[in-house]
Amino acid sequence: FEMPTSKRTKQISLTKVTKQGRKRKEAVVETILECLDNYSHVYVYSMDNMRTSIVKELRQQFAQDRFVMGKQTVMAIGVGRNPEEEPRDNLHKLSTHLTGSAGLLFSNRPQKEVTSFFKSFSEDEFATSGNLANADYVVPLGPLAFQHTMADPLRKLGMPVMLKNGTLMCEQNFQVCKKGKPLTPEQAQILKLMDVKMGTVKLDLKCVWTAGSYSLLK
């Protein structure tokens, strides 16, 4: 494929920041400009329940491609916030999607291969505070698989526990959460301690740019 030539001719202001902060911002922008010379497709994606382990896995899966993550406002500068700033025709249209947990993926893979992977990707993860419980969960009355030193931490999380002959016991059937209700920080921590995963990491491709053409992906 033949890469479109760059149309950016003027320096874009990165606003007043510290020297170190400016270097980081400039590095992100330079990475984006460099990737435009080496990859045919640019995608904007978002990730629910982002985890470092998932990002690492994605980078391994897409070893020949490039994920760019950073402050959305800085990435927007890299792709251009308007037609005057954009380094390629229509690239600035990506900037409106750089919100929340959005990032950029640069790839030379066939578009169908990338969209198919993102559509099918789903991985169970520990839920965090504010996530909706996907099921009722009850810790039954009886012994718990924890060391006795966990008695106080579990009590602080609201669990009715006691020590009996050196064994940590749940004093009654304890409902941790109800399906469809937002989890509190305490509930999320209890579920994690119980090794119960109620969160799901999903990827969403928002749009793609290639050869001067921008398209929404739904």
Side-chain angles (χ1 to χ4, degrees):
F1 60 88
E2 189 172 329
M3 291 296 180
T5 56
S6 175
K7 59 181 280 189
R8 180 171 290 179
T9 57
K10 62 180 181 178
Q11 291 292 321
I12 305 300
S13 171
L14 291 172
T15 70
K16 292 182 179 178
V17 291
T18 63
K19 192 172 183 179
Q20 190 175 8
R22 175 178 288 276
K23 281 185 177 179
R24 282 197 297 267
K25 288 185 176 185
E26 288 175 346
V28 171
V29 173
E30 286 303 315
T31 296
I32 289 171
L33 296 178
E34 182 183 317
C35 287
L36 286 170
D37 290 332
N38 297 315
Y39 297 96
S40 59
H41 291 68
V42 190
Y43 301 87
V44 176
Y45 70 92
S46 65
M47 185 189 305
D48 293 333
N49 298 318
M50 186 180 288
R51 296 289 188 276
T52 304
S53 58
I54 303 297
V55 172
K56 185 177 179 181
E57 180 185 332
L58 286 174
R59 284 186 162 140
Q60 289 173 344
Q61 291 262 11
F62 287 79
Q64 304 303 314
D65 309 278
R66 185 72 182 265
F67 284 93
V68 176
M69 301 172 189
K71 285 189 176 180
Q72 281 75 21
T73 52
V74 178
M75 290 189 290
I77 292 171
V79 298
R81 295 165 292 190
N82 51 55
E84 290 71 36
E85 287 185 2
E86 64 183 12
R88 303 284 194 279
D89 289 336
N90 292 313
L91 191 65
H92 79 278
K93 293 179 180 178
L94 301 184
S95 65
T96 59
H97 300 281
L98 290 170
T99 58
S101 62
L104 296 170
L105 168 62
F106 293 84
S107 177
N108 287 325
R109 297 170 189 257
Q111 185 172 318
K112 188 174 181 181
E113 179 184 336
V114 176
T115 55
S116 177
F117 175 86
F118 272 69
K119 189 174 181 180
S120 63
F121 186 91
S122 180
E123 191 156 320
D124 291 337
E125 186 53 88
F126 293 114
T128 56
S129 174
N131 290 161
L132 299 181
N134 61 17
D136 290 350
Y137 185 75
V138 175
V139 177
L141 166 71
L144 297 168
F146 293 108
Q147 296 291 329
H148 64 88
T149 53
M150 284 296 294
D152 283 341
L154 289 173
R155 287 191 192 106
K156 287 177 181 177
L157 292 172
M159 282 188 64
V161 297
M162 62 178 288
L163 280 170
K164 186 175 182 181
N165 298 326
T167 300
L168 193 58
M169 310 281 290
C170 189
E171 298 181 68
Q172 63 191 56
N173 290 334
F174 175 68
Q175 181 149 34
V176 178
C177 59
K178 290 186 177 182
K179 184 178 180 179
K181 297 289 186 181
L183 295 172
T184 65
E186 292 79 14
Q187 290 170 325
Q189 183 61 24
I190 291 172
L191 291 173
K192 187 172 183 179
L193 289 170
M194 296 292 174
D195 199 32
V196 176
K197 294 182 177 181
M198 286 198 180
T200 305
V201 177
K202 289 189 176 180
L203 301 172
D204 178 35
L205 280 182
K206 296 177 175 291
C207 56
V208 61
W209 176 94
T210 182
S213 177
Y214 157 88
S215 304
L216 284 172
L217 297 172
K218 290 296 178 186

